[in-house]
Amino acid sequence: MKQKLIALFFIFYITSLASTSSLYKSLKLKDKMTYDVFKNAVKGASKIKGIKSQYLTVIDFTKPSTEPRFFVMDLKKKKLLYYTYVSHGKNSGKVLATKFSNTPNSFQSSLGFFVTDTQPYFGNFGYSLRLKGLENRFNSNAYDRAIVIHGADYASKTYIDQMGFLGRTLGCPAIPTELSKEVIDLLSDNSIVFIAGNDNKYLKESRFIN
């Protein structure tokens, strides 16, 4: 019962904001994330039931990997908590992710809305947090594909300076190692993650943003 009340509060909080644009301004995102990406993230998050977290994470694959594109926002406090680098799948593209897939062994990133698993775990990539995809055809295989948030040395400004682009993954969103544990601990247990990308099929067919 308590979780349901918290979930209802979170959905009500998002949908009852004076306007999405005012929240966008409060978070000072103008030079970091386009309004369209933010609007889709907030709109989709408001449709997800059973959420008890005040945090919304956006991974913005419309931006190149040489720019910070991993955002963790506290919607209740209207504060941007993390703004950092994040890797995409090696078969999605080099500097910019242009190809996305829900297929196992595609080694591509998936788009859409996810919720985080209840507990982090130690896996092949160290301390990690599984993502559960909520959208059929776009990311519903994420859990079985072991798509996880994890830390990586190649998800860093140092790697970009050396190679000219960020290191890539088998499909996981990897973030800088020095931030990974605190981010994972914050986001564990049913937090919403939205992965955005320039993909017309997703933009036209996602039930969360349409």
Side-chain angles (χ1 to χ4, degrees):
M1 182 64 180
K2 184 178 179 181
Q3 286 189 347
K4 289 182 179 179
L5 289 174
I6 296 173
L8 288 171
F9 168 79
F10 183 72
I11 293 171
F12 175 78
Y13 178 78
I14 293 176
T15 55
S16 64
L17 291 168
S19 69
T20 303
S21 61
S22 67
L23 180 58
Y24 180 77
K25 291 176 183 177
S26 296
L27 290 163
K28 300 177 181 179
L29 296 174
K30 183 178 179 181
D31 298 322
K32 301 178 178 70
M33 181 196 304
T34 67
Y35 180 67
D36 283 346
V37 169
F38 179 74
K39 179 179 65 176
N40 285 339
V42 173
K43 183 178 182 179
S46 71
K47 297 181 179 180
I48 300 171
K49 299 178 181 179
I51 297 303
K52 67 174 186 176
S53 173
Q54 68 196 56
Y55 308 112
L56 174 61
T57 299
V58 176
I59 297 171
D60 187 2
F61 285 153
T62 69
K63 300 173 66 176
S65 67
T66 50
E67 297 179 20
R69 51 186 185 168
F70 183 92
F71 303 78
V72 179
M73 297 166 284
D74 186 325
L75 298 186
K76 185 176 181 181
K77 295 181 179 178
K78 300 182 181 180
K79 185 177 181 181
L80 178 61
L81 302 179
Y82 295 96
Y83 173 52
T84 189
Y85 297 99
V86 59
S87 296
H88 57 252
K90 67 179 185 178
N91 287 343
S92 283
K94 190 173 183 180
V95 178
L96 185 66
T98 58
K99 298 178 181 179
F100 306 96
S101 177
N102 189 35
T103 304
N105 300 315
S106 65
F107 302 149
Q108 293 181 15
S109 297
S110 297
L111 297 179
F113 287 86
F114 306 74
V115 292
T116 60
D117 209 356
T118 54
Q119 294 289 335
Y121 74 104
F122 284 94
N124 293 334
F125 304 105
Y127 199 61
S128 304
L129 183 63
R130 285 184 181 271
L131 297 178
K132 295 177 282 187
L134 301 178
E135 302 196 63
N136 289 333
R137 295 178 295 120
F138 294 110
N139 60 30
S140 54
N141 291 324
Y143 200 88
D144 291 338
R145 291 177 64 198
I147 300 300
V148 303
I149 297 174
H150 65 82
D153 292 339
Y154 52 75
S156 67
K157 182 64 165 58
T158 300
Y159 191 94
I160 294 172
D161 291 342
Q162 292 174 348
M163 304 299 294
F165 57 92
L166 208 64
R168 292 163 294 166
T169 68
L170 301 183
C172 298
I175 61 176
T177 304
E178 64 270 19
L179 295 177
S180 59
K181 187 179 187 305
E182 60 192 75
V183 169
I184 286 171
D185 286 342
L186 179 71
L187 299 183
S188 62
D189 198 8
N190 294 319
S191 181
I192 297 173
V193 176
F194 173 55
I195 300 182
N198 290 318
D199 185 88
N200 288 332
K201 183 177 176 64
Y202 177 78
L203 294 173
K204 290 178 180 178
E205 298 181 12
S206 170
R207 65 186 177 90
F208 287 102
I209 63 174
N210 291 297

